Structures are given as structure tokens and as C-alpha cells.
Amino acid sequence: KNQVEQSPQSLIILEGKNCTLQCNYTVSPFSNLRWYKQDTGRGPVSLTIMTFSENTKSNGRYTATLDADTKQSSLHITASQLSDSASYICVVILNYQLIWGAGTKLIIKP
Amino acid sequence: NAGVTQTPKFQVLKTGQSMTLQCAQDMNHEYMSWYRQDPGMGLRLIHYSVGAGITDQGEVPNGYNVSRSTTEDFPLRLLSAAPSQTSVYFCASSYQRDTEAFFGQGTRLTVV
């Protein structure tokens, strides 16, 4: 069973709309949880890093939340832009090991 | 400000051939790693290095070798390519093992 599961697998929204991507994890406790953005044909780029004790972290239009009780994290994107089209990957760091989710592919349509 | 540079970007190999994927970073990071990315799966760690002269196996090391003679370079060698090694390969570097990782642009490898 995957230790980090993301949903949905893919998502299509119109430009300007908001969306929320989900990450459920089973590993606990961990040192931190990260969200990465991966453009097509490029390597992942870090968006947010949250420690186990943090509830929320923002980076511009991206806001990540963490609920340690339900073992869920979400990434909320506000006022989406065409450049937000990418895969978004949730990563949990446990004992120096990075455990990667499979990602959510987000497509923004004009 | 190059960051992490990988070459080549694309490669097609025949089964049984060997090749080396190059990776270089200019951020003076001690920790470097190689991942493979396959459809529908998370990135999987192949090999990693915590500093020059030190390497170790990750989750899927079979069929791959690495070396770390300098802080800057961390090449990945495929010994005898197999179709199962068709994948996208990413090199990453970070200050420490659990700090923010910076990735190269990837190498798309096809083994026929």
C-alpha cells in the first residue's frame, strides 16, 4: 500500500477558478511534508515545506494545509493561471527518507 | 546560476548497451541523488551520496552504478540496459539529506 496517496489523479479547471489537491499519508510522525510543482518535461520544484507542527504555509497563490489528526494535507490554488498547469507532488520526509506521492496532474483551460 | 545540470536530455539505447547519465551541481551541496520517474508512480530513489567518496543504494539500485569523485559531479551508469529501465531519470542535490532538493531537467531514456 502506498504510504502517500494523492487525489484526484488528474483535474481540469477553467482559468481563474480555485482548486484543492489532496494528499493522504500513513507515515507518522515525520519531520516535514513538502509540495512540489513539476512542469511537463522538467524536474520538480519546491512550493512549500511544512514541519509536523505547522498547520498552514503559503507561497503566493499556493496555500498548503496540514491536519496531523486525519493525516491529510491539501494544496489550495487560488485564481488559477495557465502557468499552473503541471503535476503537483506531495512528499513526506521520514527518517531522512523522502516518500513521494504519484502526483496530481492539473490542467488549466482558458 | 546553473543549479543542477543533467545530460543528455533524451537517449535511446539498445538492450545490453551501457551508458552514463551525467549530473553536475554548482551549489556546493553535499547530498546528491538519482531518481527514476515512471507513469503513475512516485519518484523512486536509485542511489544517493552524502559527500565526495561516499555512495549508497536507494530503493531500486539494481542495474545501476554511481560514483562521487568530486562534490560537483554524480554520474549514473547503466551497466547493461534493459527495457525495464525505460524511464525518466532525475538527478537532485541538497545541502543535507532532508533539506530542500533541487532537481535537474531530467533524462528521458528509452531502451529498445
Side-chain angles (χ1 to χ4, degrees):
Chain A
K1 178 173 166 53
N2 289 336
Q3 295 174 295
V4 178
E5 293 195 348
Q6 294 187 242
S7 61
Q9 214 170 8
S10 62
L11 180 63
I12 301 173
I13 65 171
L14 292 175
E15 184 180 11
K17 298 296 186 182
N18 303 334
C19 67
T20 300
L21 314 180
Q22 298 292 342
C23 173
N24 294 334
Y25 58 90
T26 59
V27 292
S28 180
F30 53 82
S31 60
N32 58 74
L33 184 148
R34 305 174 188 173
W35 283 92
Y36 279 85
K37 179 186 180 188
Q38 185 176 19
D39 292 316
T40 301
R42 308 293 294 265
V45 174
S46 179
L47 285 176
T48 63
I49 300 175
M50 288 187 292
T51 64
F52 187 75
S53 59
E54 291 182 293
N55 298 119
T56 187
K57 184 69 72 77
S58 291
N59 178 1
R61 295 180 296 103
Y62 301 100
T63 299
T65 62
L66 177 61
D67 186 333
D69 292 332
T70 60
K71 297 186 178 179
Q72 291 182 328
S73 177
S74 63
L75 181 70
H76 186 74
I77 303 174
T78 304
S80 61
Q81 300 176 359
L82 297 178
S83 59
D84 292 330
S85 292
S87 289
Y88 292 84
I89 307 173
C90 174
V91 186
V92 174
I93 292 79
L94 174 68
N95 296 331
Y96 299 105
Q97 181 185 3
L98 276 66
I99 304 170
W100 295 77
T104 292
K105 185 175 177 67
L106 177 64
I107 298 172
I108 311 297
K109 295 218 163 188
Chain B
N1 190 5
V4 179
T5 303
Q6 277 184 247
T7 56
K9 193 164 174 62
F10 300 95
Q11 183 70 50
V12 178
L13 288 179
K14 293 182 178 178
T15 298
Q17 286 185 316
S18 63
M19 79 158 294
T20 300
L21 309 185
Q22 301 292 343
C23 176
Q25 53 95 5
D26 61 0
M27 296 174 282
N28 202 31
H29 286 162
E30 290 296 325
Y31 185 79
M32 295 186 74
S33 54
W34 277 100
Y35 290 90
R36 59 178 289 171
Q37 186 175 38
D38 299 295
M41 300 179 70
L43 271 71
R44 291 184 291 170
L45 182 64
I46 304 171
H47 284 285
Y48 65 94
S49 168
V50 298
I54 306 169
T55 63
D56 208 344
Q57 297 181 350
E59 181 185 355
V60 288
N62 292 340
Y64 309 95
N65 272 354
V66 292
S67 60
R68 185 94 180 270
S69 56
T70 67
T71 299
E72 294 77 21
D73 300 300
F74 189 45
L76 176 73
R77 182 165 179 83
L78 278 70
L79 308 172
S80 177
S84 61
Q85 293 179 305
T86 293
S87 186
V88 181
Y89 292 84
F90 287 100
C91 176
S93 77
S94 56
Y95 178 62
Q96 291 180 336
R97 187 169 180 177
D98 61 345
T99 55
E100 181 180 357
F102 295 84
F103 285 81
Q105 291 203 3
T107 297
R108 182 173 293 275
L109 175 68
T110 302
V111 182
V112 298

